Amino acid sequence: MDSNPISKWAMALFFPFAIIESLALNLEDCNKPNAGFPAVFDTVSLGDFHIRAYEKVMASSTSRFYFAPLALLEHTSASSGRNNLTGENQLAFRVEMWNDELRYIVKDYLSNITGLAIEENRVSILPFEKVSLRCQRCSPTRLDSRWRSFSQSSKQMEFRMVCSTLEECHNLREQMVHHPEQFSSHLTLFFRMESNKGSVGSIRRKTASITSDHVWNGPIMFDLNRRFSNSSFALVTSQDRGRIVSEALENVLADVEILLESVEDLAIEPEDELRLRKMMENILFENYIIPLEDDSESAWNSLYWDYENVGLDVRPDIMARKLNKVYKNAEEKDRKWIVELLSHGPGLSSTKTVLSDETSLALANIFQTIPKHIGSRLQSSQRNIQWDGHKFIPKVTKLFRINLDKLRHSFKPVRNVPIKYSVIDLRLDLNVQPAMSRINFERQPQIPEFRNAKKGNEEMQTIMKPDERLTSDTTGNESSPGVLQGLFQTIRGAITGGGIKTAPYTVIRQEKDYEERLYPAQKWVKTRVENISKDSASSAMFWKLFNYISGQNSKQIKIPMTAPVTVFIEPGSGPNCESTFTMAFYIPSEFQEDTPEPTADDVSIEERPEFKVLTRTYGGFSNDRVTKQEHINLFTSLSEEDKQLVDQSAPYYYAGYDPPFKLFFRRNEVWMNIFQPRLQIDAESEQQAFAPPNSCSGVNTPEN
């Protein structure tokens, strides 16, 4: 094997990918139970994330290779319902650990970098015995985090969360399907090797104490005590009840973990964590639920409403009174629209209804938003408000009473609670599929077919099924490649980069470092967000547009992916100001005349008129810093005559043509609009795009 450090540096420069894997390994102390853990050998890059490869030298002096689990959240598998056997409200979802194609990719990669013909039977997933999924701050849900058997056959595994209400499970399901990226930073897989079984030192036994400091030092309890300093009790929602317990539990365990010698290699046993949580609930809350009448303002004043976590939503009783006032003064068509949208949700398209100016302004004041986002804010209010046929009323189902006097004056500490920590060998944050990896690029990659590929036999034991528009072929084909199969096929095919339809344009003239182009009038689908960073904003925007081409449109049909993906960048007025980013996909020619309408409020069809740009092309992987520098490079390279055609301080475009799995010959561009004729995105964009940047001294309330 080549151990030349130069080749290692070359590999590091050759694969400049973002690492989102979190490992907890300690391979130096041979006296620890994981002393037999294979040594890290190299990293196999898979676009936006990577798989770590390991080597173990056997007694025969031959090497065996292993790879870490993929830990990929199958977000479209999410389903929610009530388990009639246990009586629990559950959210179920699958995690992809590995498959045969991944093993082939790792084997092929190792063969290439070592120059050896590595047989497939010498490459396998790490031989873990147990796996447990843990969650940071998953309140009010409870993750089933028991240690479960893990073996070579565990290609996919199902995990479950338990919610306090069925509605919470349904809401979580929607969030996981449509916004999976928010789960990756909170869900972590813990793995144990078979060598830990029964070994000395694999368990650490400690004791925990629960004191009043652990309770009051939690952010929510600190705020609650401040607001209700003169009250003997307060009421909290089930969500805040779970958060209060989680914050206190974190404080308790933090004191225990100070005494542990290597906490990053340890994990509290799930049953002990659950036992501590139950103890905290019994200490902090009285064991009954308080119903509130919608017109009892004094009772509602006893409710702690955590504005920081619920966003801009006001307290349910106040929201109901404000909506009733607007309803009373509204025209009949406005009344019908408000009731229908709040009652039935996203089935209606709020952008197709024109409210009167008075109603629009009144609702915008309630939700502290701009008129175009009123529909989405009304839909989100379904959590707390409902229509009873005559008026809007609060929709709080569970409230818990917390005895503040008891906690302040007669709290009795709980001492010496026995708890256990297990030694873990590997921890992995869940990966979320890179946005562009989910696209079928219509390539014919030269890869072997799946060997022994079988569908998972683990069925969802829940009421609601996953969104079939996201998991099946809506065009009527009897079968289509699975999302993950397409992902790994794309890795092999991405090196050639062909097969994607691109937006048409004509090159008017070509200079040394740039060219002038004419783009004809075409339709694009777009979404907009305000953010400090394009890199941070891109993922959320991409998912919205990808959902549109995947079937979330008025015709529920799939639309082929195209290139480039453009981002219109309207810079903020300072380095820490939010900029406005508008991402768009080109609508293929076959859909230009009869374009399906988006069903999401924050996605729309953009009719771009004919426009000219000066453009600069560059390679590699682009990010905020690179994009800004290339924009500067474009202007610097222009002739003096061409500099008169553009405005360096005006908004500009970034255009990307390639999926993240394409390693070589990548194509990125920056475009600067030529003023005559200049690009007019639409009436609203035109008003904002060329206006002077706003000061960021005011309050920014971006809506997605």
Side-chain angles (χ1 to χ4, degrees), residues 8 36 61 75 84 90 105 123 186 198 205 212 216 232 244 252 259 331 354 393 409 421 499 516 614 621 632 678 693:
K8 296 294 184 181
S61 297
H75 63 284
N84 293 325
Q90 294 183 341
I105 290 171
V123 180
H186 296 286
R205 300 181 185 275
S212 60
W216 293 118
S232 60
I244 289 170
V252 170
L259 305 176
E331 300 175 7
V354 179
I393 61 174
H409 307 301
Y421 282 79
E516 180 181 351
L614 297 177
F621 287 83
I632 295 172
R678 71 179 183 183

Side-chain angles (χ1 to χ4, degrees), residues 65-214:
F65 297 94
Y66 300 91
F67 55 91
L70 185 59
L72 187 63
L73 174 63
E74 283 265 31
H75 63 284
T76 59
S77 71
S79 62
S80 57
R82 185 171 180 82
N83 187 319
N84 293 325
L85 182 63
T86 64
E88 295 176 324
N89 305 305
Q90 294 183 341
L91 169 73
F93 56 92
R94 292 194 298 270
V95 175
E96 180 87 357
M97 297 297 182
W98 71 285
N99 58 37
D100 292 322
E101 183 60 19
L102 176 60
R103 180 169 60 180
Y104 187 91
I105 290 171
V106 173
K107 178 196 80 68
D108 194 44
Y109 174 84
L110 293 174
S111 296
N112 286 337
I113 67 171
T114 61
L116 302 175
I118 299 177
E119 296 86 358
E120 192 170 346
N121 60 8
R122 290 171 56 195
V123 180
S124 61
I125 193 168
L126 285 166
F128 295 115
E129 182 198 20
K130 297 289 185 182
V131 61
S132 173
L133 184 63
R134 308 294 176 91
C135 182
Q136 295 292 326
R137 302 224 172 161
C138 277
S139 302
T141 59
R142 174 174 57 81
L143 187 66
D144 182 1
S145 55
R146 294 170 296 176
W147 286 105
R148 305 173 56 185
S149 295
F150 182 88
S151 65
Q152 298 261 345
S153 60
S154 301
K155 296 182 179 180
Q156 283 187 338
M157 299 190 71
E158 182 180 284
F159 297 92
R160 297 173 187 269
M161 288 183 176
V162 177
C163 313
S164 56
T165 67
L166 189 58
E167 184 180 17
E168 288 170 4
C169 276
H170 292 342
N171 289 336
L172 276 175
R173 171 192 171 274
E174 289 298 311
Q175 290 297 313
M176 182 172 286
V177 169
H178 299 294
H179 304 285
E181 64 279 357
Q182 65 181 324
F183 289 82
S184 61
S185 60
H186 296 286
L187 296 174
T188 303
L189 286 166
F190 291 175
F191 295 89
R192 288 199 323 220
M193 298 287 285
E194 187 173 1
S195 58
N196 275 350
K197 185 176 181 181
S199 62
V200 178
S202 62
I203 296 292
R204 304 284 192 273
R205 300 181 185 275
K206 297 293 179 180
T207 59
S209 297
I210 303 173
T211 68
S212 60
D213 285 344
H214 295 136

